[in-house]
Every structure is written in C-alpha cells, then in structure tokens.
Amino acid sequence: MTNTTTTDKLFRVAIAIKGLDGLGQLVLGIVLIFVPPMLITGLANEVVTRDLLGDPNGTLSTHLETAAHNFADGSSRGFAIGYLLLHAVIKLGLVAALLRKIMPLYPVAVVVLGAFVVYEVYRAVRTHSIALPIFAAVDVVIIVLVVREYLQLRRERSASATEAHN
C-alpha cells in the first residue's frame, strides 16, 4: 500500500467539497419546488427596499429584482429547479464513484466536469458573473486532481497485476 501524499489528501478534500456542493444543490432544488415564487419576489423586494444593495435603481438592485421576477414567471423557475437537481445528482454520483475508485468513471468525471467548466465560463461571459469563473477554476483544479488520481490508480493496478503474474 502506498503512503498518503499531500496530493491524495487534496484530492479527497476536493471531492468532499464537490460532494457538499452537490448536496447543497440537491437541497436547494428540493426547497425551490416547495417555496412559492411570490415569496422569492417578496424577499427580493425587501432586500432592495431596505437599501441593502445600495441605490434601489442601481444595477445590482435592478438585476436582483429582474431575476426574482423571471424566477416567479415559471419558465426560469422550472429551469433552475431542473438544473439544480440534475447537477446535484450528477455531482453526487461522480463523487461516490471517485471515492469508491471505480476506474471507468474517472474519464466520465473529467468529461462532465469539463462540460461544467465550459458552461460556467459561457454563463460568466454572458452574465458578467464574478462567482462563475471561481467555480470554473475550482473545477479545473478538481479535473487535474481526478486525472492525477486516475493515472496513479492505473499504475498501482498495473503493478499489482504484474506482481500477481510473477
């Protein structure tokens, strides 16, 4: 058995964070199913009217109110709930597979995480989001760690197979 390296520990931490993120998205998606859209619109109006975002006619306030109203109209709400639930299930499945070291799913994880990165960058460019590039960067780090872990597992299994034949 090999010693646990800093990279191995970092891989486990990154996967745990991804799992917690997936769990949070799952909970949020389920909560949004049951939260009345008008409650969200009302909350957005409260935040704006209490001047928590600065000028009530400012960019951030206007963006929050528009997003809340778009969410309340139904089409955005359905997309948000579907996206959160699908994203969560995929993440949690990949996390479980990676923690169990299911080798065929490592390349799948890389492709899926790569798709997340592409989407996050695309949305960041379109929405001028500050958070999405950070999420994309974290996903890139996780992709590197997944590839590294996959290659390490392949080497270990290859060495074990060679020893078994001798």
Side-chain angles (χ1 to χ4, degrees):
M1 178 162 285
T2 61
N3 293 331
T4 303
T5 65
T6 302
T7 308
D8 293 328
K9 291 175 186 173
L10 185 57
F11 173 76
R12 287 189 189 96
V13 168
I15 296 304
I17 289 169
K18 210 53 156 165
L20 290 173
D21 179 40
L23 186 61
Q25 286 181 338
L26 181 65
V27 169
L28 182 59
I30 292 169
V31 166
L32 287 177
I33 292 171
F34 299 105
V35 171
M38 295 314 292
L39 179 66
I40 292 172
T41 306
L43 179 63
N45 288 334
E46 282 292 316
V47 169
V48 170
T49 57
R50 290 185 181 203
D51 244 356
L52 295 178
L53 296 177
D55 179 14
N57 297 318
T59 305
L60 189 55
S61 297
T62 304
H63 181 70
L64 178 62
E65 282 187 356
T66 301
H69 289 291
N70 287 341
F71 182 80
D73 78 4
S75 61
S76 294
R77 182 174 186 257
F79 173 78
I81 291 168
Y83 178 79
L84 285 170
L85 293 177
L86 180 63
H87 208 234
V89 168
I90 290 170
K91 278 184 186 179
L92 292 172
L94 289 175
V95 165
L98 293 174
L99 290 175
R100 290 189 174 134
K101 301 183 185 230
I102 300 173
M103 291 288 289
L105 291 180
Y106 279 68
V108 172
V110 169
V111 169
V112 170
L113 289 170
F116 288 164
V117 169
V118 169
Y119 183 74
E120 289 161 349
V121 169
Y122 167 76
R123 291 290 299 167
V125 169
R126 294 199 36 120
T127 64
H128 308 289
S129 169
I130 296 170
L132 286 173
I134 295 168
F135 296 149
V138 169
D139 283 341
V140 168
V141 169
I142 292 172
I143 289 169
V144 169
L145 292 170
V146 168
V147 169
R148 186 233 157 255
E149 181 77 4
Y150 178 72
L151 295 174
Q152 180 64 34
L153 287 173
R154 278 185 46 190
R155 280 191 294 273
E156 288 174 6
R157 290 183 182 183
S158 177
S160 294
T162 301
E163 290 175 11
H165 284 88
N166 293 332

